[in-house]
């Protein structure tokens, strides 16, 4: 049976280009905007509170951070630090959350239960989101460094390594740049692709994987090329420039994919078996996807579902894709069935060959 149409979790007042989920808190951070063009479309980073309301995952706006004339196109998250790609630069932001109870006590309005912020269930499609902006989130700007030097300069990708000691950026000029974090001192810079770097991933040994508009996917150990992948080498018969590597994300168990036509899919990571697919979930290019973390708080948000994937697109919508828990037999029942099968086999052999035992 085909999956239901995904729920609209949130609708922003500007195009969305990136989304991240906090590893420890029930918070999603999404960002985008209209850029410097004087179209009246704002630019911002929105912090969304995620919670279960009436058995459904709901999002409400905690805080809207104005990024002035700069649209955030890429974003990396390290605990409470955001590395935001805006135009030709990487802006390092730190955010902090204030407990609702403390805020309510200061205002003389009692506990968070009686505070000014009210929760609402998922908003119906086409009617926007809960616009409850509060002072619960504060955002501080720490650094800003230029990360791209092409004529049409644009940072295209940014990632932290596992221990957040390094930040890696890639841009339209094809250069990969490594920065010490949090000092933001540049430690390495080299030409990785002929043309734009579309995406970056880092391994536990700090190997860097880059996908470029030049139809190559490369693995680097610092500035040394370890290996490179091309479509025609891995799929014989496919024209050399029929496809190019773009981006994908996995949760360790599942792989989430978004397409230029707006479709969204979830696959098993190790076998690539497709478990979920919605054609044209957005109807326009999917710009980013992110899984609800497989943490204690994340499992609470899943509410029995096996996985939850958020997708954002230029249509300003953040949509929720749920993978229901697959039915499986408990271990004790499997053991009982095996024992019963063994006993039945022995009895049949005894009947067929008297004196077998």
């Amino acid at each position: 049976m085909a999956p239901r149409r995904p729920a609209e979790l949130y609708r922003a007042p500007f195009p969305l280009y990136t989304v991240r989920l906090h590893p420890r808190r029930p918070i999603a951070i999404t960002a985008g905007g209209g850029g410097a063009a004087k179209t009246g479309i704002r630019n911002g980073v929105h912090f969304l509170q995620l919670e279960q309301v009436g058995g459904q995952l709901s999002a409400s706006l905690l805080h809207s951070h104005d990024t002035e004339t700069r649209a955030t196109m890429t974003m990396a998250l390290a605990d409470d630090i955001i590395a935001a790609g805006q135009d030709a630069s990487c802006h390092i932001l730190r955010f902090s959350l204030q407990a609702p109870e403390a805020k309510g006590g200061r205002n003389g309005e009692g506990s968070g239960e009686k505070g000014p912020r009210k929760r609402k269930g998922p908003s119906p499609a086409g009617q926007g989101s809960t616009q409850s902006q509060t002072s619960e989130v504060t955002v501080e700007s720490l650094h800003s460094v230029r990360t791209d030097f092409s004529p049409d300069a644009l940072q295209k990708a940014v990632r932290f390594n596992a221990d957040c000691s390094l930040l890696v950026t890639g841009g339209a000029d094809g250069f990969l740049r490594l920065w010490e974090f949090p000092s933001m001192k540049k430690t390495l810079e080299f030409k990785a692709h002929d043309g734009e770097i579309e995406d970056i991933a880092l391994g536990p040994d700090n190997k860097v994987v880059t996908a470029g508009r030049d139809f190559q996917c490369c693995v680097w150990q610092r500035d040394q090329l370890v290996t490179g992948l091309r479509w025609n080498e891995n799929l014989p018969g496919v024209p050399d420039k029929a496809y190019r590597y773009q981006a994908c994300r996995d949760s360790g168990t599942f792989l989430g994919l978004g397409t230029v036509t707006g479709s969204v899919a979830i696959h098993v990571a190790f076998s690539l078996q497709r478990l979920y697919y919605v054609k044209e979930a957005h109807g326009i290019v999917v710009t980013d996807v992110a899984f609800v973390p497989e943490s204690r708080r994340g499992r609470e948000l899943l509410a029995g579902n096996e996985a939850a994937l958020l997708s954002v697109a230029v249509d300003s919508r953040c949509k929720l894709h749920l993978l229901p828990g697959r039915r499986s037999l408990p271990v004790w029942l499997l053991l009982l069935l095996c024992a019963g099968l063994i006993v039945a086999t022995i009895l049949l052999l005894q009947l067929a060959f008297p004196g077998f035992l």
Side-chain angles (χ1 to χ4, degrees), residues 32-278:
K38 296 181 179 180
T39 60
I41 300 176
R42 301 181 65 179
N43 303 285
V45 178
H46 283 190
F47 296 79
L48 309 178
Q49 176 77 45
L50 302 178
E51 58 187 347
Q52 284 287 332
V53 177
Q56 296 183 359
L57 188 61
S58 172
S60 55
L61 182 63
L62 278 178
H63 180 71
S64 174
H65 174 65
D66 186 11
T67 56
E68 302 174 348
T69 61
R70 306 179 308 273
T72 301
M73 307 296 292
T74 59
M75 190 165 58
L77 186 63
D79 199 35
D80 293 343
I81 299 292
I82 299 173
Q86 299 171 2
D87 299 332
S89 300
C90 185
H91 293 256
I92 307 300
L93 310 173
R94 178 169 57 203
F95 66 93
S96 58
L97 279 73
Q98 173 188 325
E101 290 79 7
K103 176 176 69 98
R106 263 203 322 272
N107 292 339
E109 295 180 17
S111 68
E113 291 289 317
K114 300 179 182 179
R117 180 163 55 91
K118 297 181 180 180
R119 297 286 185 226
K120 295 182 181 180
S123 57
Q127 296 187 18
S129 64
T130 307
Q131 299 294 315
S132 52
Q133 300 189 48
T134 74
S135 60
E136 287 185 4
V137 179
T138 58
V139 182
E140 175 187 7
S141 180
L142 302 180
H143 295 281
S144 175
V145 293
R146 182 157 184 172
T147 57
D148 189 81
F149 294 88
S150 59
D152 298 318
L154 181 65
Q155 179 179 296
K156 296 292 298 272
V158 58
R159 292 288 177 268
F160 285 102
N161 68 342
D163 63 4
C164 300
S165 62
L166 288 174
L167 184 70
V168 185
T169 63
D173 59 6
F175 276 79
L176 195 70
R177 296 177 172 90
L178 278 71
W179 311 80
E180 288 182 355
F181 189 81
S183 68
M184 293 306 292
K185 176 184 176 182
K186 186 165 59 177
T187 62
L188 187 64
E189 176 183 42
F190 65 94
K191 182 80 168 177
H193 289 273
D194 294 326
E196 300 179 5
I197 293 178
E198 296 283 6
D199 200 19
I200 297 171
L202 280 83
D205 55 357
N206 284 337
K207 281 191 175 71
V208 181
V209 182
T210 59
R213 193 171 281 269
D214 58 359
F215 303 95
Q216 291 195 72
C217 181
C218 302
V219 181
W220 305 91
Q221 186 70 62
R222 292 189 61 81
D223 58 351
Q224 299 299 308
L225 181 64
V226 177
T227 186
L229 303 174
R230 283 184 174 273
W231 278 102
N232 60 343
E233 294 174 356
N234 298 279
L235 297 174
V238 175
D240 190 23
K241 295 186 178 181
Y243 300 93
R244 61 183 170 89
Y245 296 97
Q246 177 73 23
C248 66
R249 295 285 175 268
D250 73 86
S251 67
T253 306
F254 302 106
L255 180 72
L257 300 174
T259 73
V260 293
T261 59
S263 302
V264 175
I266 300 175
H267 297 250
V268 176
F270 74 90
S271 67
L272 296 185
Q273 176 190 358
R274 192 169 75 182
L275 302 177
Y276 174 99
Y277 177 75
V278 176

